[in-house]
Amino acid sequence: LICKCVADCSTIIMIRIATLVVLSCLALREAWCHGPGPYDHPKNAWKAEETLFQINPQIKLGVASPEEEDGTFKKDRQRVRIEWQGVPNPQASDLIGLWVGQGDVDPRHAVPVHYANCSLLNPAYLSTGSGSSSFVLFNMRWDFHFKLVRGGYKKPTIVAEAPPIKNEIPNAPTSGHLALHADQLSVVVQWVSAAPYPQVVEFGPWLPGSPEKAHTAAAAAAA
């Protein structure tokens, strides 16, 4: 009887193990077939349609030290320093947001291309209501608009706006890409530009202080 009981218990354990293995395989097959769930970008949580405007004249937000003296954008990866002060009762949810667009950008119809938490940029912000931070700007064809946002990204309220930084090079070539041609003897150079005039590629050996590139090649437009 003892031997029979041990055998029955072993059989039950083996059946349970086999059941767990089958269920695990089915779960893996389901995950493999359907893949991971849809990626939810953090900016999807920004409630642009809930944006309010409560401009507070006591809050100052501005461009403190642009590389260009006239406060315009004239080269890719240009660095600017943004300063803000006079924020009453500063909160950890206060943000600096950057929008891009032509003319007066309406945050109720667009999310910022970049935003940062004021208190993370400047830990003293929660006690002083002021701070500053450097931002690197990339050519996105439009002007740049910095705004101070309260209420977080779920209930954003614009309380201050900096003067727009005008983009002086909206048609400049961007998104450069190099690829080896099928003939294995030449290189394909691709870029994006809205400029209406003909463009060329300059290439050749280059060292600091050397003259212009030795060769040029005309670009062919592609749709």
Side-chain angles (χ1 to χ4, degrees):
L1 292 176
I2 294 176
C3 293
K4 184 177 184 300
C5 180
V6 171
D8 291 343
C9 291
S10 300
T11 302
I12 293 173
I13 292 174
M14 292 298 294
I15 291 174
R16 289 180 176 176
I17 292 175
T19 302
L20 289 174
V21 171
V22 171
L23 292 176
S24 298
C25 291
L26 290 175
L28 289 172
R29 180 178 180 275
E30 183 75 11
W32 178 266
C33 293
H34 296 283
Y39 172 68
D40 188 18
H41 195 282
K43 289 183 182 177
N44 290 341
W46 189 285
K47 303 296 183 181
E49 67 280 3
E50 302 292 336
T51 302
L52 300 176
F53 284 86
Q54 295 180 3
I55 302 299
N56 186 339
Q58 295 181 350
I59 301 176
K60 306 300 181 184
L61 176 67
V63 182
S65 56
E67 292 184 353
E68 301 295 337
E69 293 183 359
D70 58 359
T72 62
F73 178 80
K74 292 185 177 180
K75 65 179 181 179
D76 199 28
R77 301 174 183 268
Q78 181 172 311
R79 184 177 295 274
V80 298
R81 188 164 191 83
I82 304 299
E83 290 185 348
W84 57 94
Q85 59 182 350
V87 181
N89 189 25
Q91 301 295 319
S93 59
D94 296 344
L95 306 166
I96 296 294
L98 170 62
W99 282 259
V100 295
Q102 188 174 22
D104 189 15
V105 176
D106 190 345
R108 293 170 295 187
H109 300 146
V111 299
V113 298
H114 177 69
Y115 62 88
N117 188 284
C118 294
S119 59
L120 293 180
L121 295 173
N122 294 105
Y125 168 75
L126 294 177
S127 58
T128 64
S130 62
S132 65
S133 182
S134 293
F135 293 84
V136 177
L137 305 181
F138 295 85
N139 191 0
M140 303 183 72
R141 311 294 186 194
W142 303 104
D143 299 338
F144 302 91
H145 305 260
F146 284 94
K147 304 176 187 293
L148 199 152
V149 184
R150 310 203 71 179
Y153 51 81
K154 292 186 177 180
K155 295 182 178 179
T157 300
I158 309 297
V159 296
E161 298 176 304
I165 300 175
K166 183 175 178 55
N167 189 339
E168 298 286 357
I169 53 170
N171 296 330
T174 61
S175 306
H177 178 72
L178 296 177
L180 186 64
H181 194 273
D183 61 13
Q184 304 292 309
L185 298 174
S186 54
V187 173
V188 177
V189 183
Q190 296 175 310
W191 65 91
V192 178
S193 174
Y197 46 80
Q199 300 176 46
V200 298
V201 176
E202 297 180 345
F203 61 97
W206 181 86
L207 292 173
S210 65
E212 296 182 357
K213 307 299 183 294
H215 309 283
T216 62

